[in-house]
Amino acid sequence: MAGGIAEVVARAGMRAILRARSEASAATAVKQVTSGLARQVDKGKLDAAERDRILANITTATDLGALGACDIIIESVVEDLATKQQLFRDLDAVATPRAILATNTSTLPVVEMAKVVRQPERVCGIHFFNPAQVLPLVEIVRPITASDDTINRSVTFVKAIGKDGVNVLDRAGFIVNALLFPYLNNAIRMLEDGTASMEDIDTAMKGGCNFPMGPFALLDLVGLDTSLSILDTLHASFGDENFAPRPMLRKLVAEGRLGRKTKAGFYVY
Ligand code: CAA
């Protein structure tokens, strides 16, 4: 997701610093961006000069200090609150006071990240969708602590990168995941029950609702570990059984079948 976000920002003519814990993971993210752009050049959708301009806007770093002059910092690490909170504490120490500190969390309470920094008013959610380069939506999530200035500047930023922003309060799942994940979870229940095969459920939802992909293909795209943590958070927040992650999802995650990124999830790639 981080590479996709960096590409979107760079495409809009802004400089993006892709910060990762290791040179290797930063290089992998840039490699993904580079090969995505190369495909577009091959298809005649992007010219080589534009590709070079986009890539020139992206630099990498491992040291958090490299983010010191950024106007906006978008955290996109693993969906684990303690990890995110530690990162926000570290960002608080290096970021310029005017910077917005945003999280790309899918479901975790944004206020929990805001409360560990010295200026909680500058924290909000800026939530992209997979694949970030393609999907137009960004949810701008307002925790109770955020200032109008933080939200207004985030709205302006989202417009400037060419995305469609929607405003939402800081409730688990925001808009999209709160509505999408009961559907995905119930598709797994239907498979467990033996009502239909995975392929037929996917075909049914594509052909019957004109969705671009069926629920199992989508779960594999999002990542089964990410999907499990989203459902766990939604279930803990709302207590609704539709959010209780299905055993088959837990089993696949325990087996390391995390979806497209591990080349196997519900499907094998
Ligand atoms: N990364 C970058 N670009 C990608 C991509 C990827 N993983 N997958 C596809 N694309 C690009 C292709 O290059 C292509 O670009 P051009 O039109 O410029 O050539 C375009 O997307 C269409 O791709 P394809 O023609 O190969 O395939 P498609 O028409 O079947 O589209 C799809 C693929 C865009 C993924 C489409 O199936 C789709 O929109 N699926 C639904 C995705 C969705 O619902 N996402 C939300 C998930 S929920 C979430 O993300 C929330 C969260 O918090 C976890």
Side-chain angles (χ1 to χ4, degrees):
M1 185 64 110
I5 298 171
E7 180 184 321
V8 169
V9 170
R11 212 178 255 272
M14 297 175 215
R15 288 181 46 223
I17 303 173
L18 223 169
R19 186 268 169 182
R21 279 178 301 177
S22 69
E23 292 287 358
S25 48
T28 304
V30 171
K31 208 170 138 202
Q32 277 162 3
V33 173
T34 308
S35 59
L37 293 176
R39 267 198 307 275
Q40 300 226 337
V41 173
D42 290 345
K43 286 185 192 166
K45 293 192 167 177
L46 188 71
D47 66 41
E50 180 64 0
R51 173 202 58 202
D52 294 344
R53 189 191 64 76
I54 295 169
L55 287 173
N57 279 342
I58 303 177
T59 52
T60 61
T62 50
D63 181 9
L64 270 190
L67 308 181
C70 292
D71 295 312
I72 182 156
I73 300 176
I74 305 173
E75 163 284 309
S76 189
V77 301
V78 64
E79 285 289 282
D80 173 68
L81 184 57
T83 307
K84 287 188 189 282
Q85 283 180 321
Q86 187 53 50
L87 182 56
F88 270 80
R89 279 188 205 100
D90 296 342
L91 286 172
D92 194 33
V94 298
T96 168
R98 69 167 190 281
I100 291 172
L101 304 182
T103 171
N104 182 44
T105 183
S106 307
T107 34
L108 293 170
V110 177
V111 72
E112 295 297 327
M113 287 158 251
K115 74 186 193 195
V116 302
V117 305
R118 285 168 296 175
Q119 298 163 264
E121 63 276 11
R122 63 162 157 168
V123 175
C124 70
I126 296 186
H127 181 219
F128 291 80
F129 292 82
N130 275 301
Q133 300 92 323
V134 183
L135 290 213
L137 185 73
V138 172
E139 290 175 325
I140 299 155
V141 185
R142 177 172 205 141
I144 194 164
T145 40
S147 66
D148 287 346
D149 180 59
T150 296
I151 300 301
N152 293 341
R153 284 199 291 144
S154 299
V155 168
T156 304
F157 166 75
V158 167
K159 244 187 226 152
I161 59 171
K163 295 289 186 190
D164 300 331
V166 290
N167 294 289
V168 55
L169 294 180
D170 187 19
R171 288 186 53 194
F174 316 129
I175 299 172
V176 174
N177 287 339
L179 295 175
L180 175 66
F181 274 84
Y183 152 67
L184 296 177
N185 204 32
N186 277 308
I188 306 173
R189 183 202 303 264
M190 191 176 267
L191 177 65
E192 288 170 345
D193 289 349
T195 306
S197 70
M198 180 169 80
E199 291 80 3
D200 280 354
I201 296 170
D202 271 359
T203 301
M205 294 314 291
K206 282 200 302 185
C209 294
N210 215 12
F211 287 175
M213 56 197 345
F216 296 100
L218 184 53
L219 282 157
D220 279 352
L221 175 72
V222 169
L224 302 192
D225 52 342
T226 304
S227 299
L228 179 58
S229 75
I230 290 171
L231 283 164
D232 273 331
T233 307
L234 288 166
H235 189 227
S237 296
F238 299 118
D240 180 333
E241 280 311 296
N242 284 304
F243 292 124
R246 299 301 309 166
M248 191 181 280
L249 180 62
R250 283 202 192 282
K251 182 169 175 289
L252 288 169
V253 172
E255 288 169 352
R257 292 177 63 128
L258 307 183
R260 283 196 193 190
K261 62 187 165 189
T262 56
K263 310 241 179 294
F266 283 98
Y267 292 101
V268 174
Y269 297 88

